[in-house]
Amino acid sequence: LLASENSMLRQRAETDARMLASAADEIEGSHAHRRRAVDEASAAQRAAYGDRGRLALAAQRFEAAEAELVARSAQFEELHAELLAARAEMAETRRAVDGAEGRVGEAQRALMLAQQASMAREGDARGYAAE
């Protein structure tokens, strides 16, 4: 009876030892899983920190580009206004040149008529002088 009870106790102890070993393996697996989760969370946190840094740099570049765009837009508007003013001045100058060319043409015609009249008077004067 003592041997039978001793055998049952030994089996129960072996079963308990296997259950404890299995529980210890599960606890160790759980700890390992938790360590991996902590490592993954740390890696994700480091990656997020890096991404925030890159985002901040990208935001700074965007703001600088936007400011440059505003400045260039203002410069473009100024240049466009200068272009329109130059175009208006050019049209006004073209009208003045056209008017001056017309007056030159009229003066040349008047000069030619005056020269013809002068030559005719000179011819008449020579004709009277010859008579």
Side-chain angles (χ1 to χ4, degrees), residues 64-117:
E66 188 175 38
E68 186 172 344
L69 176 64
V70 168
R72 286 189 181 188
S73 294
Q75 186 179 29
F76 172 76
E77 288 176 13
E78 289 173 9
L79 289 173
H80 188 253
E82 287 179 30
L83 172 70
L84 293 177
R87 186 176 289 158
E89 183 180 349
M90 188 173 73
E92 183 179 324
T93 304
R94 170 54 55 199
R95 286 190 297 273
V97 166
D98 290 346
E101 287 176 347
R103 288 188 297 278
V104 166
E106 289 173 17
Q108 285 176 340
R109 281 189 292 280
L111 175 61
M112 189 171 37
L113 290 174
Q115 286 175 339
Q116 288 173 349

Side-chain angles (χ1 to χ4, degrees), residues 110-131:
L111 175 61
M112 189 171 37
L113 290 174
Q115 286 175 339
Q116 288 173 349
S118 173
M119 288 170 58
R121 282 192 302 269
E122 189 179 307
D124 288 344
R126 281 192 193 142
Y128 288 127
E131 293 179 7

Side-chain angles (χ1 to χ4, degrees), residues 6-57:
N6 200 10
S7 175
M8 281 192 335
L9 286 175
R10 195 174 305 132
Q11 285 177 350
R12 195 180 290 166
E14 288 173 1
T15 302
D16 288 347
R18 280 192 302 273
M19 287 175 57
L20 285 174
S22 176
D25 287 345
E26 283 185 36
I27 290 171
E28 188 176 319
S30 175
H31 285 310
H33 180 70
R34 188 170 39 199
R35 280 191 300 274
R36 282 191 303 273
V38 166
D39 289 346
E40 288 172 6
S42 293
Q45 188 175 19
R46 286 189 302 276
Y49 180 77
D51 289 344
R52 281 192 298 274
R54 285 189 295 282
L55 177 62
L57 290 174

